[in-house]
Amino acid sequence: KREGFFSLYWPIREEFCTMYARLSNGGTADMLLENEQDPFQGGLFIRAKPKGKRTLRMESLSGGEKSLVALSFVLAIQKVKPSVFYLFDEVDMFLDGANAENVAKLIRERARQAQVIVISLRKAMIMEADHLYGISITKPGVSEIIGKVSPELLEVKSEAHDG
Amino acid sequence: KREGFFSLYWPIREEFCTMYARLSNGGTADMLLENEQDPFQGGLFIRAKPKGKRTLRMESLSGGEKSLVALSFVLAIQKVKPSVFYLFDEVDMFLDGANAENVAKLIRERARQAQVIVISLRKAMIMEADHLYGISITKPGVSEIIGKVSPELLEVKSEAHDG
Amino acid sequence: MYIKSLELNNFKSFGGMKVIPFLPGFTAITGPNGSGKSNISDAILFALGPKSSKVIRAGKLTDLIFNGGGEGQAAKKCRVSLIFDNTNREVPIESDEIRLTRVIKISQTSDNYYSYFYVNGKISSLGEFEDILSSTGLFGHGFNLVQQGDINSIALMTSTERRKIIDLVS
Amino acid sequence: MYIKSLELNNFKSFGGMKVIPFLPGFTAITGPNGSGKSNISDAILFALGPKSSKVIRAGKLTDLIFNGGGEGQAAKKCRVSLIFDNTNREVPIESDEIRLTRVIKISQTSDNYYSYFYVNGKISSLGEFEDILSSTGLFGHGFNLVQQGDINSIALMTSTERRKIIDLVS
Ligand SMILES: Nc1ncnc2c1ncn2[C@@H]1O[C@H](COP(=O)(O)OP(=O)(O)OP(=O)(O)O)[C@@H](O)[C@H]1O
Ligand SMILES: Nc1ncnc2c1ncn2[C@@H]1O[C@H](COP(=O)(O)OP(=O)(O)OP(=O)(O)O)[C@@H](O)[C@H]1O
Ligand SMILES: [Mg+2]
Ligand SMILES: [Mg+2]
């Protein structure tokens, strides 16, 4: 059980540092186990140092900075346990324009090796997709799929956020 | 204590229904006490019926629909216990373009009777404001206030979401 | 191996029969609040047969059946099929595609419901679904389906909860 | 009665002395993630002297002192002043403006810190702050300061927690 945990923990930790450095354009992050002898007795601490700042605990980061760290953690797990299919539902919700673009580009890269579906309201994400579906309510309370449209055409786009 | 509770509960409930109907362009919502005899023994249920849909419990609503209900609740409390100063920090985060615009217009109305500060990344909200400040990091880790600029000019705007 | 399409029949807000083709590469789904985007991710999770209905944001499984919306009739059952490509025979079934179908039907008599599983049209079980899925690599335990709100709850969880995520994927 | 300005001196990411003029009407504050927007709302809450430091997202009050950022020196104290208009004498003090100032200073010797309150430059106490604020109507219990994440936690809370919100404002 302990071996099983560590066989995943070390690669996830390594990937996590790489992912965060990439998504934050040069920040650094690290994971620390509260109890390395017996990890199941303690928690997992994450420290992040956004570019140009001091190292901070997860609690002192801003809303957007926290969600970038959480996303890096998830992307690291996915990298260590790869799949042929990924779905991301509004993972870019807390991010400003620049961060949303970084995340969209990284997910675009994932889509080279696997099938990726994202649900998003953000232009930065929608612009990266190969195919775009709009969902809308036509009859009261009934969802319809507007079908494959090019990103430029879709009416919903004006709903989407830019940047 | 029970009187004190009901002297607030009934007006908040009334305001809540008005607020939600307005923010959802014609939906209806209601509050119900689990135990009307002794409210402190039970909880407060909220049911909402987004326009054109059936009545639903809070749990079955979508992310954006839930946050519209929660926002209506807060705005109703503020109406019943008015103040001369309000601050809203990214309350429009989960909303699509149309909902974000509705909320921005409502907060704009509040600003006629009180001083209002909003923190937001959304164009719909920023466009409603009389004054706009940008905050940015100039020296590593140090926040600066870019100062009063007209919404059109601010560089940060391209970071902001539209719609 | 990839998902070819998802068929929704009276599943949540998708009244009637709706087919969503899934293409290889990068697909984005967008639309207003409450339009039904996250219901698509719920449909995929439903078809994979997870044990807990919390995953599909419903109180009980019958909440997944189309309730009629504003003016329509509430349906009595819902059906979701997940169709994926099997030309390379990753799954040891002689067919170029595998169709996993799950049905929930309200019972006429009581407040009960029936839950059925089908593989390529033949009656099956949750156990067989799990066997098939583990040989596809479509849904390992690697957090490959990130639901709305997951990122925010990871950002806010305690250090022990965060460590438990690694236990789960081991 | 309105807030005229907020002065931040080594408060969180606002190193050095920064003044934010607050105007009547509708003001929006925008900027990238982590630029310091929510720290402004924390500064207002800090100046009002709430008892719990959870409100200001900090472990302990000394976490509020500017830590130097990337290259600078960590400060030893932080000061926040909230200046509001008093021309109508809502607050029974002979002055056209009221300046509430709060200071946190790290003690030289131990891990302790000192916390000071000032009204218009004269030493004061948390009790006097609360008296002054209750006569201004600036911060009733009506949820008039909505922090980042509040809306989401109300959307996700249980029905009992939701009812407790009404207890709080009574
Ligand atoms: N059994 C059902 N029958 C009909 N409609 C349902 C059923 N269950 C849920 N819904 C509807 O589905 C809607 C939620 O859809 P969903 O969560 O997919 O929205 P979304 O597009 O993801 O929105 P957001 O952008 O706010 O996240 C709710 O408004 C609810 O009315
Ligand atoms: N004592 C301190 N000294 C210096 N910097 C600090 C201190 N405390 C917090 N910070 C910094 O303040 C930043 C957070 O700022 P804040 O939460 O205001 O961001 P924000 O603009 O609201 O971002 P978001 O859009 O993501 O919500 C953190 O990155 C943290 O580095
Ligand atoms: Mg959704
Ligand atoms: Mg913030």
Side-chain angles (χ1 to χ4, degrees):
Chain A
K1 200 158 151 58
R2 193 169 169 281
E3 275 70 44
F5 179 87
F6 278 110
S7 71
L8 274 180
Y9 173 71
W10 298 119
I12 287 176
R13 178 166 172 254
E14 201 179 317
E15 272 305 325
F16 168 70
C17 300
T18 325
M19 264 319 152
Y20 181 74
R22 161 129 188 222
L23 286 182
S24 62
N25 290 335
T28 57
D30 201 7
M31 284 185 181
L32 297 153
L33 283 169
E34 201 170 6
N35 181 338
E36 225 167 87
Q37 295 318 313
D38 183 2
F40 305 105
Q41 292 307 326
L44 171 69
F45 291 111
I46 291 182
R47 304 229 173 295
K49 180 180 172 324
K51 201 164 141 210
K53 297 186 176 175
R54 302 257 157 134
T55 303
L56 289 156
R57 294 168 314 148
M58 190 83 159
E59 296 69 40
S60 333
L61 295 173
S62 82
E65 289 172 335
K66 266 189 206 136
S67 90
L68 214 62
V69 170
L71 195 54
S72 305
F73 183 40
V74 168
L75 291 167
I77 295 172
Q78 292 179 346
K79 195 100 188 206
V80 171
K81 286 221 140 199
S83 165
V84 294
F85 175 80
Y86 294 100
L87 187 140
F88 297 95
D89 191 348
E90 302 215 30
V91 296
D92 49 8
M93 190 184 265
F94 296 81
L95 304 177
D96 63 32
N99 281 327
E101 248 161 56
N102 263 355
V103 167
K105 291 207 170 49
L106 196 131
I107 291 182
R108 149 109 249 129
E109 249 171 61
R110 273 290 150 93
R112 297 229 170 81
Q113 294 109 16
Q115 188 177 25
V116 173
I117 310 249
V118 286
I119 295 172
S120 174
L121 298 175
R122 306 289 295 266
K123 248 179 218 171
M125 186 68 84
I126 293 170
M127 287 305 200
E128 289 291 332
D130 306 321
H131 322 289
L132 177 63
Y133 290 115
I135 307 289
S136 124
I137 301 268
T138 49
K139 285 197 304 255
V142 183
S143 295
E144 295 289 340
I145 302 134
I146 299 179
K148 217 160 101 50
V149 282
S150 84
E152 279 63 36
L153 283 178
L154 199 75
E155 177 49 34
V156 163
K157 282 281 289 138
S158 70
E159 296 267 2
H161 314 172
D162 93 324
Chain B
K1 201 158 153 57
R2 192 168 167 281
E3 276 70 46
F5 180 88
F6 278 110
S7 70
L8 276 178
Y9 173 71
W10 297 119
I12 288 176
R13 179 166 170 253
E14 200 179 319
E15 272 304 324
F16 169 70
C17 300
T18 326
M19 259 327 148
Y20 181 74
R22 160 127 189 222
L23 286 182
S24 63
N25 290 334
T28 57
D30 202 5
M31 283 185 182
L32 298 153
L33 282 170
E34 201 169 7
N35 180 340
E36 228 171 83
Q37 297 317 312
D38 183 3
F40 305 105
Q41 292 307 325
L44 171 68
F45 290 112
I46 290 181
R47 304 232 174 294
K49 180 180 173 325
K51 201 166 145 208
K53 296 185 176 177
R54 303 255 157 137
T55 303
L56 289 156
R57 295 169 314 149
M58 190 83 159
E59 295 69 40
S60 335
L61 296 172
S62 83
E65 289 171 336
K66 265 190 206 135
S67 91
L68 214 62
V69 170
L71 193 56
S72 305
F73 183 40
V74 168
L75 290 167
I77 294 172
Q78 291 180 346
K79 196 106 188 196
V80 171
K81 287 223 145 202
S83 165
V84 294
F85 175 80
Y86 294 100
L87 187 140
F88 298 95
D89 190 348
E90 304 215 28
V91 295
D92 50 7
M93 189 184 265
F94 297 82
L95 304 178
D96 62 33
N99 281 327
E101 248 162 57
N102 264 355
V103 167
K105 289 207 171 52
L106 196 128
I107 290 182
R108 149 111 243 126
E109 253 172 55
R110 273 291 148 92
R112 296 230 173 80
Q113 294 110 18
Q115 187 177 26
V116 173
I117 310 248
V118 286
I119 295 171
S120 175
L121 299 175
R122 305 289 295 267
K123 249 179 216 172
M125 187 69 83
I126 292 170
M127 286 306 202
E128 289 292 331
D130 307 322
H131 323 288
L132 178 62
Y133 291 113
I135 308 289
S136 124
I137 302 268
T138 50
K139 283 196 304 260
V142 183
S143 296
E144 294 289 340
I145 301 132
I146 300 180
K148 217 163 102 51
V149 281
S150 84
E152 280 61 41
L153 282 178
L154 200 73
E155 176 48 36
V156 167
K157 283 278 290 137
S158 70
E159 295 267 359
H161 315 167
D162 90 328
Chain C
M1 161 71 63
Y2 68 94
I3 298 184
K4 295 177 81 168
S5 66
L6 182 70
E7 287 175 14
L8 305 166
N9 196 333
N10 286 326
F11 180 81
K12 284 196 150 191
S13 55
F14 291 90
M17 175 70 174
K18 305 264 158 51
V19 180
I20 308 179
F22 281 1
L23 299 138
F26 192 173
T27 302
I29 297 175
T30 191
N33 290 140
S35 55
K37 303 185 296 293
S38 299
N39 288 345
I40 293 172
S41 117
D42 291 346
I44 296 173
L45 283 167
F46 170 69
L48 302 176
K51 300 187 192 28
S52 113
S53 59
K54 186 192 145 314
V55 156
I56 28 195
R57 299 185 295 161
K60 42 186 195 317
L61 284 178
T62 47
D63 290 357
L64 299 175
I65 302 172
F66 177 60
N67 66 15
E71 300 153 355
Q73 284 282 356
K76 293 259 179 289
K77 70 175 191 206
C78 73
R79 189 175 58 227
V80 173
S81 295
L82 195 65
I83 299 115
F84 46 87
D85 170 64
N86 189 38
T87 34
N88 303 343
R89 298 291 185 269
E90 277 106 336
V91 175
I93 291 181
E94 267 316 307
S95 160
D96 276 357
E97 64 176 42
I98 302 276
R99 168 188 285 266
L100 295 184
T101 303
R102 194 166 171 205
V103 174
I104 297 285
K105 206 170 152 188
I106 298 180
S107 122
Q108 298 299 342
T109 50
S110 67
D111 194 12
N112 269 344
Y113 63 84
Y114 303 109
S115 170
Y116 302 108
F117 296 82
Y118 299 92
V119 176
N120 285 359
K122 284 204 290 299
I123 194 95
S124 170
S125 69
L126 178 57
E128 191 183 356
F129 266 41
E130 289 184 337
D131 290 347
I132 289 175
L133 286 164
S134 61
S135 55
T136 63
L138 271 172
F139 292 91
H141 292 297
F143 225 129
N144 64 329
L145 202 148
V146 185
Q147 286 184 286
Q148 191 170 3
D150 280 354
I151 295 295
N152 195 36
S153 49
I154 290 173
L156 300 175
M157 60 178 51
T158 64
S159 62
T160 308
E161 288 167 329
R162 232 174 264 141
R163 192 258 304 143
K164 290 215 172 99
I165 290 183
I166 299 193
D167 302 356
L168 269 180
V169 293
S170 313
Chain D
M1 161 73 62
Y2 69 95
I3 298 184
K4 296 176 81 168
S5 67
L6 182 71
E7 287 175 14
L8 305 166
N9 195 335
N10 285 326
F11 180 80
K12 283 197 153 189
S13 55
F14 291 90
M17 175 70 175
K18 305 264 159 46
V19 180
I20 307 179
F22 280 2
L23 298 138
F26 192 173
T27 302
I29 298 174
T30 193
N33 291 139
S35 55
K37 304 186 295 294
S38 299
N39 288 345
I40 294 172
S41 119
D42 291 346
I44 296 173
L45 284 167
F46 170 69
L48 302 176
K51 295 179 198 37
S52 113
S53 59
K54 188 193 145 313
V55 159
I56 28 194
R57 299 186 295 162
K60 45 185 192 318
L61 284 178
T62 46
D63 290 356
L64 299 175
I65 303 171
F66 177 62
N67 66 13
E71 301 154 354
Q73 282 280 19
K76 292 258 179 291
K77 71 176 190 200
C78 73
R79 189 176 55 227
V80 173
S81 294
L82 194 65
I83 298 113
F84 47 88
D85 170 63
N86 189 37
T87 34
N88 302 343
R89 298 292 186 270
E90 277 105 334
V91 176
I93 290 182
E94 270 315 308
S95 159
D96 277 356
E97 65 176 42
I98 304 275
R99 166 188 287 264
L100 295 184
T101 303
R102 195 167 170 203
V103 174
I104 298 283
K105 207 171 152 184
I106 298 181
S107 123
Q108 297 301 342
T109 49
S110 66
D111 195 14
N112 270 345
Y113 63 85
Y114 302 109
S115 170
Y116 301 108
F117 296 81
Y118 299 91
V119 175
N120 286 358
K122 284 203 291 300
I123 193 94
S124 169
S125 69
L126 178 57
E128 191 184 354
F129 265 41
E130 290 185 338
D131 290 347
I132 290 176
L133 286 165
S134 61
S135 55
T136 62
L138 272 173
F139 291 93
H141 292 296
F143 224 129
N144 65 328
L145 201 147
V146 186
Q147 287 184 287
Q148 190 170 3
D150 280 353
I151 295 296
N152 195 36
S153 50
I154 291 173
L156 300 174
M157 59 178 52
T158 65
S159 63
T160 309
E161 286 166 333
R162 233 175 263 141
R163 192 256 306 142
K164 291 216 171 96
I165 290 182
I166 300 193
D167 303 352
L168 268 180
V169 292
S170 313

